[in-house]
Amino acid sequence: MEKLSPSREDIAEQIVLDPLLPKEAGSVHGEAKPPGPAADSPGEAPSHEAMRVNEKYSSLPAAADRGVHIINIRAIDDLGYLQSEGTLLNSLGVDPDAKCKYGLYFQDGRRKVDYVLVYNYKKTGSHNILARVLHVDPPQGSQNLKQEPLPGKEGSVETTEFDHHEADKRARREEYESNLREAGLELEKDEDTKLHGIGFVKVHAPWNVLCREAEFLKLKMPTKKVYQIYQSRGILTKLNSVIQKITEPIQPRVANYRAQNVKRLSFGFSREKKHLFDLTDKESFFDSKTRSTIVYEILKRTTCSKASTGQGEARKKDSALLNKRRKCGQYGITSLLANGIYTAAYPLHDGDFKGEDVELNDRKILCEEWATYGAFYKYQPIDLIRKYFGEKVGLYFAWLGVYTQMLIPASIVGIIVFLYGCLTVDDNIPSMEMCDHRNNITMCPLCDRTCSYWKLSSACATARASHFFDNPATVFFSIFMALWAATFMEHWKRKQMRLNYIWDLTGFEEEEAHPRAEYEAKVFKKSLRKESHPHREIYKEKLTWKDRFPAYMTNFIGIIFMIGLTFAIVFGVIIYRISTAAALAINSSPSGRANVRVTVTATAVIINLVVIIILDEVYGSIARWLTQIEVPKTDKNFEERLIFKAFLLKFVNAYSPIFYVAFFKGRFAGRPGDYVYIFRSFRMEECAPGGCLMELCIQLSIIMLGKQLIQNNLFEIGIPKMKKFFRYLQQRPTDHEESTKKRKRYEVDYNLEPFAGLTPEYMEMIIQFGFVTLFVASFPLAPLFALLNNIIEIRLDAKKFVTELRRPVAVRAKDIGNWYNILRGLAKLAVIINAFVISFTSDFIPRLVYRYMYSSDGSMHGFVNHTLSYFNVTDFQSGTAPNDPMELGYEVQICRYKDYREPPWSENKYELSKDFWTVLAVRLAFVIVFQNLVMFMSDFVDWIIPDIPKDISQQIHKEKVLLVDLFMKEEQGKQQMLDIWRDVLPSDSYNNHSPPSSRTQRSSAVSKSSYHVAV
C-alpha cells in the first residue's frame, strides 16, 4: 500500500508529546514487542507488523529523530488519564470517519473499498497494553519484575508468549496480504473498531489492476459506438405506446426503466483498445459490482503457502510441507476462510438504506422501489438488481417474476373451474342421490366391532364438497395446466435470451472455475501419502473414483435410508389414522361419531405438515454434508450435486403423503368379511363414499399453504432477525461513547447474515411448482394460492437481500442452470400424474362408463347404486361383526360397500365383477390417450414458439456487423496514415536519413493517431 501523508483528521486522532518518553519506543498503535534481549538491542529495525499497521503515519517528518512519539488515545483512556475518547475530537469539531464516508473509502477519502477481509485477533496482556499505551519498550533488566495490573482493571497478568496457532494464522495473513500487494491491490487495516477482537482489511483495486483483470476475465464493456435498436412499426408501435401508458403506474421509479431506443455497442475490454471505450469518468466506468468481482477473482487465485514454523525436526518437516503447498498452490481466499485464517470476506453495500439525510445510492433506491410490501403491484427493477447483485441473482428474480406473472392466467382459470363446481353442485345427480334420505342405503361398518352400520346419506356434505373439485371441468383444467407449463418454459427461455442480450452476455462461456478449498486439501493429503514415489509430480494429482468410492457408498446408503425414513413416517401416520378412527368410533356421542373422518383427516394432515417442515431442514443439512464428503472439484460441481440430493430428498418428503392418498389409500383394503390387516389388528383404511379426491384436496391444500406460510415466510422473516438480534447482543458496546458513535460500513455489514446461495430460494419455488402442476386436478385453486404467496415472496426475498444479508459477490451467469431441467422434468411428470389422478382417484371414468354403457336414458340416475356392491352380514369373520348391530333401530341383513364385486347370491360371490374390468380397461386407455395427447400438444407449443425472439436475433446479428465494421474502419485509418507518411516523405530519405529514434517516434505517433481515427 502506498504511503500517505497524515491528514488533519488523522493528526487529530493522536497526541504528539515532547521527547519526555524514552527513545526506545515500540510499535505504534499495534502489538508491542515481547520483552527480551532482542527488544533492547540498539538500532534494531522496527517489526514488520508495526510498520504495516502504522503505515499511514510513517511519513511524519523525522518523527523518530526529534523524539516525537504517538500515543493511542483509547489506551490512555483505559489507564484513566482521559475521561472519554472523543474529548479532543469534539473540541476540534472534527468527525474522523466523515472523510472516508464511514468506511466506504480508505482514510484518505479517495480510494474506494472494493472488498473487506475480516479476521479475529487476540489482545495481549497488561504488559503489552502498557507498552502499547506508552509505546516504549520495558527497561533493561525489568523482564524479571512482577507486572502489576493496570489501574481500574481486574484480572491476572497474562504471559507475553504468543499462542503458536495464532502466530501461524498471523504469519499466513501477512504473507497472503503481501502477495495481494504484489498483485497490485492496495490494503488498509483497521483494528480500532467497536467490534473488539475483530480486525478488518480493506481492499482497493486501482485503475490499472481493474483494466488488467477486465481484460483477463473478458468482460464486455460498453464502447462509444451507439446504435439504434430495432423498433416495431405500424400498428405494433401504437399498441406498445398504449401498453406503456397503461403500465406507467406500475413501473418502478428507477433510471432507464423504460425500453431504450438506443444501445451502446459492447466489446470485450482490451487495454490496447482503450480508445474504443468512454473513459471520461473512470470512477464509474467499472461499477461496484464489477470491481468486487475483479477483486474476488484476484483473492481466489492469490495463494498463501506459508506453514507454521517450529524448531529442529518440526521446522524441517514444516519446510517440506511449505514446498509441497507451494507446488499445489494452496491457500487461496477460499482455503483461508475454510481454515479460519480469515473469518469472513465480502464486498460492501453501497451505504445506508434508511434515513432522510442518507445519500441516495442504489441500495436505498432498491429498498424504496423494490424491497417494500407497498410496491407489490409494481414490476421489479431487474436491470438495477443485476447492476447491484450480479447476473446470477438478477436471473433468479427475473425468473421468479416471470413465474408469478404466468400464475395469473392459471389462477383465473382455476377460479372459473372452482366456481363451475360450486354453481353446478345442485344439479349433480350422484351427490343428490347420496343426500336423498328416501334411498335408505345401509353401509357396512368402517371398522371392526366398535363401528356399526351407517346411512349413506350421512356422507352428504362430503359428496357435495367433492363436486367442487371433481367435475368435468377438472379434465379441461389438467390439460390447460400441462399446456401452461410448456408455455411458461418457452416464455422463460425467450425472456432469458432477451436479458442475455441486454446484459451483454451473448457469447459468454463459463471458464473452468478455481478448485474448492476442500478439494485442494484432499489432493494435498493424497500427494503427501505418495512421498515414496519421487517420479510422480504433485501438481498432477487429482481425485479419482477410487478416492471417492467410500463417499459414494455413504451417499447411496444415506439417501436410501432417508427415503426409507420418510416412508416409515408416512406409514406411522397411517397407523395413527387407523387407530384414532377406531378409538373415536367408540364415542357415545352421535355427533362425535359423525365427524370421525374429518377429525382424523385434519389431525393427520397437521402431523404430516409438522414432520415435513422438520425433515426439510434436516434433509437440507444432510444433503449438504453428503455433498461435502464427495469433495467436488469446483463450486459449480458442488452446487449441481447439492441440488440433486436436496431436491430428491425434499421431493420425497413433501409428496409422499400426497402420493399415498392419491394412489394407495383404499386400493388394498379388501372387502367386508375379508379385510386386509396391518400387524393383524389394524384394518387398512378406505376412501369415503365420495372418493379420495376430496381428502387429497384437503391434504394438498393444508400442506401447501402451511409450508408456504410457516417455512417460506415466517422462517425467512423470523430466523434472520433472531440471528441478527443475537449478534447484536454479543457485540453490544458497553461504553456509552461507543454506543453513540456511528459504525463504519464494514462493521455494519459484518453483523449481517452471510449470503448462503440461491439454492434454498430456488428449492422452495420448485417444490411449489410441483404443488401447482403435479396434483392440480384435485385442487384447482393451487395456482391462486401460489400467486398470493409469490407476491409476498418477491418482496420478502428483496427485503432480505437488501437489508438482512451481506452483499453477495456478483457472479456472471447466462441461465438458471439445472433448475430449468428440473422444471422441465416436473412439467412432464405432471402430465402423467394428472392422468392417473383423473383416471384412478376421481370418479370421472366410472361416471363416463356408466353414462355411455349402463345408463338406460344416458343420464347419471342410478350411478351411486351401480357403484355399490352387496354383502350378507352373516359372512362376517368371527369377531369382526359390530357389537351393536341394532344401532340404526332395525336388524340389518344386507349392507353395501363401494366396489365392483359379485353379490352374495351369485355363484362367484364377492369376486370382481365384469364391470370392474371394464372400468379398469377404460381407465388405462384414458391414461395412455391423455398422456400422449397432452405430451404432443406440449411439444407442439415448444416447437411453434422460437427460443430466441426475432428482434433479439436481429440485434445480435446487427452487433456483429457493427463490430466488424468498426474494426475495418480502424484498420483503414491505420493504412491511410501510413500512406500519408509514405507520400510526404520519399522512401529513400525516410529509410536512410531518418535516425532510428525518430523513426520509432513517428511510427508510435502514427499508431497513436490511428487509434483515434475509427471512433
Side-chain angles (χ1 to χ4, degrees):
M1 183 178 71
E2 64 181 10
K3 296 182 179 180
L4 304 174
S5 299
S7 62
R8 183 175 301 173
E9 291 82 352
D10 298 331
I11 297 175
E13 292 180 355
Q14 308 293 331
I15 300 177
V16 181
L17 299 182
D18 292 331
L20 299 174
L21 300 174
K23 283 193 175 184
E24 293 83 1
S27 58
V28 182
H29 195 64
E31 303 282 355
K33 294 181 291 184
D40 300 323
S41 58
E44 181 183 355
S47 67
H48 179 66
E49 178 68 15
M51 293 179 65
R52 287 172 58 251
V53 174
N54 297 282
E55 199 167 7
K56 67 177 183 177
Y57 302 109
S58 59
S59 59
L60 284 171
D65 296 339
R66 299 199 310 267
V68 179
H69 304 280
I70 301 173
I71 292 181
N72 184 287
I73 296 177
R74 176 183 295 280
I76 292 181
D77 182 33
D78 292 339
L79 287 173
Y81 291 110
L82 291 178
Q83 294 300 322
S84 66
E85 182 186 34
T87 305
L88 178 62
L89 300 181
N90 294 335
S91 64
L92 296 177
V94 177
D95 187 352
D97 295 330
K99 184 175 181 180
C100 64
K101 294 189 177 180
Y102 298 98
L104 289 174
Y105 288 82
F106 278 19
Q107 288 295 333
D108 57 8
R110 293 184 286 108
R111 292 173 294 173
K112 188 174 184 180
V113 178
D114 299 318
Y115 220 87
V116 173
L117 306 178
V118 187
Y119 61 92
N120 291 326
Y121 67 92
K122 288 186 177 180
K123 294 186 178 181
T124 57
S126 59
H127 169 274
N128 289 332
I129 293 177
L130 182 61
R132 187 166 66 250
V133 171
L134 300 178
H135 296 277
V136 295
D137 295 333
Q140 294 184 2
S142 64
Q143 287 83 356
N144 298 327
L145 297 178
K146 183 178 179 180
Q147 299 291 337
E148 297 296 336
L150 290 176
K153 302 293 181 181
E154 298 180 356
S156 61
V157 180
E158 299 178 3
T159 62
T160 58
E161 295 182 359
F162 294 107
D163 181 74
H164 178 73
H165 184 60
E166 292 298 323
D168 180 55
K169 286 185 177 182
R170 177 178 299 176
R172 292 180 184 178
R173 285 199 299 268
E174 289 177 356
E175 183 190 1
Y176 182 69
E177 291 164 12
S178 176
N179 293 339
L180 291 179
R181 290 190 182 93
E182 291 178 2
L185 298 179
E186 298 177 359
L187 310 180
E188 185 177 81
K189 270 194 174 182
D190 185 6
E191 292 183 353
D192 185 21
T193 64
K194 296 176 70 174
L195 306 177
H196 300 297
I198 297 176
F200 297 89
V201 179
K202 295 172 281 186
V203 185
H204 169 77
W207 171 255
N208 60 331
V209 174
L210 293 174
C211 295
R212 181 192 71 201
E213 297 298 324
E215 184 174 351
F216 291 166
L217 296 175
K218 302 176 183 178
L219 296 180
K220 275 191 173 183
M221 305 300 295
T223 64
K224 297 177 182 178
K225 178 68 176 178
V226 179
Y227 66 95
Q228 191 78 15
I229 296 179
Y230 172 80
Q231 297 292 326
S232 57
R233 299 177 181 177
I235 190 172
L236 292 178
T237 305
K238 296 181 180 179
L239 183 61
N240 290 335
S241 177
V242 173
I243 293 175
Q244 285 183 0
K245 290 181 180 179
I246 294 175
T247 59
E248 181 74 23
I250 61 176
Q251 295 288 351
R253 293 177 296 175
V254 297
N256 301 327
Y257 69 88
R258 289 185 178 179
Q260 301 297 311
N261 297 329
V262 294
K263 185 179 185 294
R264 287 188 178 272
L265 184 64
S266 297
F267 180 65
F269 188 83
S270 173
R271 288 173 288 179
E272 296 180 355
K273 298 185 181 298
K274 284 185 179 179
H275 58 280
L276 295 178
F277 304 94
D278 185 9
L279 302 179
T280 54
D281 186 6
K282 292 184 179 180
E283 292 296 325
S284 62
F285 184 74
F286 295 106
D287 56 19
S288 59
K289 177 257 300 182
T290 307
R291 296 174 70 99
S292 63
T293 302
I294 289 174
V295 172
Y296 182 64
E297 290 296 327
I298 299 175
L299 294 176
K300 282 198 301 183
R301 71 165 184 261
T302 303
T303 58
C304 168
S305 55
K306 179 169 287 188
S308 57
T309 56
Q311 295 180 353
E313 295 297 327
R315 187 185 186 95
K316 294 180 181 179
K317 184 177 180 181
D318 290 339
S319 299
L321 293 176
L322 170 62
N323 294 329
K324 291 180 181 296
R325 284 194 177 106
R326 282 172 177 162
K327 290 182 180 180
C328 294
Q330 288 287 303
Y331 297 123
I333 186 60
T334 53
S335 299
L336 295 173
L337 288 171
N339 294 328
I341 310 301
Y342 292 100
T343 57
Y346 51 88
L348 294 181
H349 281 290
D350 279 357
D352 290 330
F353 58 89
K354 58 183 178 181
E356 296 180 357
D357 57 341
V358 174
E359 183 180 352
L360 190 64
N361 55 68
D362 287 344
R363 189 187 187 194
K364 184 176 176 61
I365 296 174
L366 286 173
C367 186
E368 293 176 351
E369 297 296 325
W370 179 51
T372 175
Y373 296 108
F376 72 94
Y377 61 92
K378 290 186 177 182
Y379 286 105
Q380 299 183 87
I382 296 297
D383 291 333
L384 185 59
I385 297 171
R386 172 253 179 180
K387 177 187 174 185
Y388 194 79
F389 293 108
E391 286 78 6
K392 194 168 186 178
V393 176
L395 282 174
Y396 163 71
F397 282 104
W399 173 82
L400 184 56
V402 170
Y403 172 48
T404 304
Q405 290 176 7
M406 289 294 294
L407 283 173
I408 295 176
S411 302
I412 294 174
V413 177
I415 293 173
I416 294 174
V417 171
F418 178 74
L419 292 178
Y420 171 82
C422 295
L423 295 175
T424 59
V425 65
D426 293 332
D427 300 329
N428 183 38
I429 297 176
S431 61
M432 291 172 62
E433 290 183 347
M434 290 184 64
C435 297
D436 191 355
H437 296 275
R438 295 173 296 179
N439 289 334
N440 198 28
I441 299 177
T442 303
M443 303 297 294
C444 296
L446 296 175
C447 61
D448 294 340
R449 296 188 301 276
T450 57
C451 298
S452 184
Y453 306 105
W454 55 285
K455 291 287 187 177
L456 180 62
S457 57
S458 62
C460 174
T462 305
R464 289 176 62 87
S466 64
H467 181 72
F468 296 159
F469 308 99
D470 187 6
N471 54 70
T474 303
V475 181
F476 160 76
F477 189 59
S478 300
I479 298 174
F480 171 81
M481 288 303 295
L483 299 179
W484 172 87
T487 306
F488 162 62
M489 303 302 294
E490 291 303 309
H491 179 45
W492 167 243
K493 281 196 292 186
R494 291 168 63 85
K495 178 70 174 180
Q496 189 171 257
M497 287 303 303
R498 190 175 296 277
L499 292 176
N500 285 342
Y501 165 72
I502 297 174
W503 296 348
D504 297 323
L505 293 174
T506 53
F508 166 72
E509 295 295 336
E510 293 185 7
E511 299 180 356
E512 185 177 358
H514 191 276
R516 298 175 63 248
E518 293 80 359
Y519 181 85
E520 287 185 334
K522 194 83 171 179
V523 171
F524 177 66
K525 291 180 181 178
K526 181 180 178 181
S527 65
L528 293 180
R529 291 196 299 266
K530 296 188 176 182
E531 289 180 342
S532 59
H533 301 281
H535 61 279
R536 292 177 180 266
E537 292 291 340
I538 294 177
Y539 62 85
K540 292 183 179 179
E541 292 292 347
K542 62 180 182 180
L543 298 184
T544 62
W545 68 270
K546 294 181 180 179
D547 300 318
R548 291 192 173 104
F549 182 74
Y552 289 154
M553 288 301 299
T554 305
N555 271 261
F556 178 76
I557 296 173
I559 291 175
I560 294 298
F561 175 77
M562 293 302 146
I563 294 176
L565 176 64
T566 304
F567 290 161
I569 293 175
V570 173
F571 182 74
V573 175
I574 294 172
I575 299 298
Y576 162 80
R577 294 160 65 105
I578 296 173
S579 58
T580 305
L584 291 177
I586 308 176
N587 193 342
S588 58
S589 171
S591 60
R593 292 196 299 270
N595 297 323
V596 167
R597 193 181 296 274
V598 176
T599 304
V600 170
T601 301
T603 55
V605 172
I606 293 174
I607 293 173
N608 278 326
L609 174 62
V610 173
V611 170
I612 286 172
I613 292 175
I614 294 173
L615 288 184
D616 252 4
E617 303 299 323
V618 174
Y619 286 169
S621 302
I622 291 176
R624 181 170 292 275
W625 176 75
L626 291 175
T627 309
Q628 287 173 348
I629 64 175
E630 283 187 27
V631 196
K633 184 176 182 180
T634 63
D635 288 330
K636 183 178 180 182
N637 294 339
F638 181 88
E639 186 178 13
E640 290 175 350
R641 298 186 184 192
L642 175 62
I643 288 171
F644 171 75
K645 296 180 183 63
F647 174 74
L648 178 62
L649 293 176
K650 293 190 176 186
F651 179 88
V652 174
N653 180 43
Y655 297 116
S656 292
I658 301 174
F659 269 95
Y660 165 73
V661 175
F663 303 121
F664 296 99
K665 184 178 180 181
R667 310 292 173 190
F668 312 102
R671 60 170 180 82
D674 189 19
Y675 284 113
V676 177
Y677 291 88
I678 301 175
F679 305 132
R680 298 182 180 180
S681 57
F682 297 106
R683 199 176 93 185
M684 287 292 293
E685 56 183 345
E686 305 174 56
C687 290
C692 280
L693 195 69
M694 185 60 197
E695 187 172 344
L696 176 62
C697 173
I698 296 173
Q699 185 101 4
L700 182 65
S701 59
I702 292 180
I703 291 178
M704 178 182 177
L705 296 178
K707 200 171 184 299
Q708 289 181 349
L709 179 63
I710 299 174
Q711 189 175 26
N712 297 357
N713 292 333
L714 293 183
F715 280 13
E716 288 191 10
I717 296 174
I719 292 179
K721 287 190 177 296
M722 289 177 60
K723 290 182 178 179
K724 186 177 179 181
F725 178 70
F726 287 142
R727 282 196 300 270
Y728 170 77
L729 292 180
Q730 292 174 356
Q731 300 167 358
R732 182 173 53 183
T734 57
D735 188 0
H736 175 71
E737 194 75 26
E738 289 284 334
S739 61
T740 57
K741 181 181 176 183
K742 183 176 181 181
R743 288 193 175 189
K744 298 176 183 177
R745 180 77 265 150
Y746 44 84
E747 295 179 89
V748 176
D749 287 2
Y750 179 72
N751 288 328
L752 298 178
E753 186 74 11
F755 177 66
L758 291 171
T759 299
E761 314 298 335
Y762 274 112
M763 186 65 70
E764 64 183 63
M765 289 294 105
I766 296 298
I767 296 296
Q768 184 203 84
F769 182 81
F771 283 124
V772 169
T773 55
L774 293 181
F775 297 94
V776 73
S778 63
F779 190 40
L781 296 179
L784 174 63
F785 290 112
L787 173 64
L788 298 176
N789 174 81
N790 287 4
I791 291 175
I792 301 174
E793 180 73 21
I794 290 176
R795 307 303 162 179
L796 179 63
D797 284 348
K799 199 172 186 65
K800 181 173 67 174
F801 270 78
V802 174
T803 64
E804 302 291 340
L805 297 180
R806 293 176 191 164
R807 188 174 183 178
V809 180
V811 179
R812 286 190 297 171
K814 61 187 303 182
D815 53 40
I816 61 175
N818 279 351
W819 297 111
Y820 182 80
N821 298 328
I822 293 176
L823 286 170
R824 287 187 65 89
L826 285 176
K828 300 294 184 183
L829 182 63
V831 176
I832 301 173
I833 290 180
N834 280 303
F836 277 96
V837 168
I838 295 172
S839 181
F840 286 89
T841 308
S842 73
D843 284 338
F844 176 76
I845 298 300
R847 290 172 184 172
L848 201 66
V849 171
Y850 178 79
R851 179 187 292 271
Y852 294 104
M853 293 185 64
Y854 299 102
S855 177
S856 57
D857 54 358
S859 66
M860 294 302 297
H861 289 287
F863 170 74
V864 174
N865 187 62
H866 180 262
T867 58
L868 298 177
S869 297
Y870 295 88
F871 179 75
N872 194 333
V873 298
T874 58
D875 294 331
F876 273 121
Q877 291 181 350
S878 176
T880 61
N883 295 333
D884 186 12
M886 299 294 295
E887 182 175 343
L888 294 179
Y890 56 88
E891 183 180 0
V892 178
Q893 296 181 349
I894 298 292
C895 64
R896 310 290 295 273
Y897 62 98
K898 189 173 182 179
D899 205 348
Y900 291 101
R901 292 183 179 272
E902 296 291 341
W905 52 83
S906 173
E907 295 181 0
N908 302 317
K909 64 177 183 179
Y910 307 135
E911 295 292 330
L912 295 174
S913 64
K914 183 180 68 175
D915 298 342
F916 172 83
W917 300 109
T918 303
V919 172
L920 179 62
V922 176
R923 280 174 165 168
L924 294 175
F926 176 83
V927 169
I928 296 172
V929 173
F930 181 88
Q931 173 186 336
N932 287 278
L933 177 63
V934 176
M935 288 281 192
F936 170 77
M937 296 172 68
S938 301
D939 293 340
F940 179 75
V941 171
D942 190 357
W943 172 77
I944 201 173
I945 300 177
D947 294 345
I948 305 177
K950 185 178 179 180
D951 60 325
I952 296 300
S953 61
Q954 291 176 349
Q955 299 299 336
I956 294 174
H957 177 71
K958 186 177 181 178
E959 273 199 351
K960 294 179 180 178
V961 173
L962 289 173
L963 275 176
V964 172
D965 184 56
L966 181 63
F967 290 120
M968 288 298 296
K969 286 182 179 180
E970 185 179 7
E971 293 298 324
Q972 291 174 4
K974 290 181 182 180
Q975 190 63 38
Q976 289 176 4
M977 294 300 296
L978 290 175
D979 293 342
I980 291 173
W981 277 105
R982 287 170 184 161
D983 293 340
V984 172
L985 297 176
S987 60
D988 294 338
S989 63
Y990 181 78
N991 294 328
N992 299 328
H993 300 288
S994 297
S997 60
S998 63
R999 288 199 299 269
T1000 304
Q1001 293 172 2
R1002 289 168 185 166
S1003 62
S1004 63
V1006 170
S1007 62
K1008 289 179 180 178
S1009 302
S1010 63
Y1011 281 173
H1012 298 277
V1013 170
V1015 180

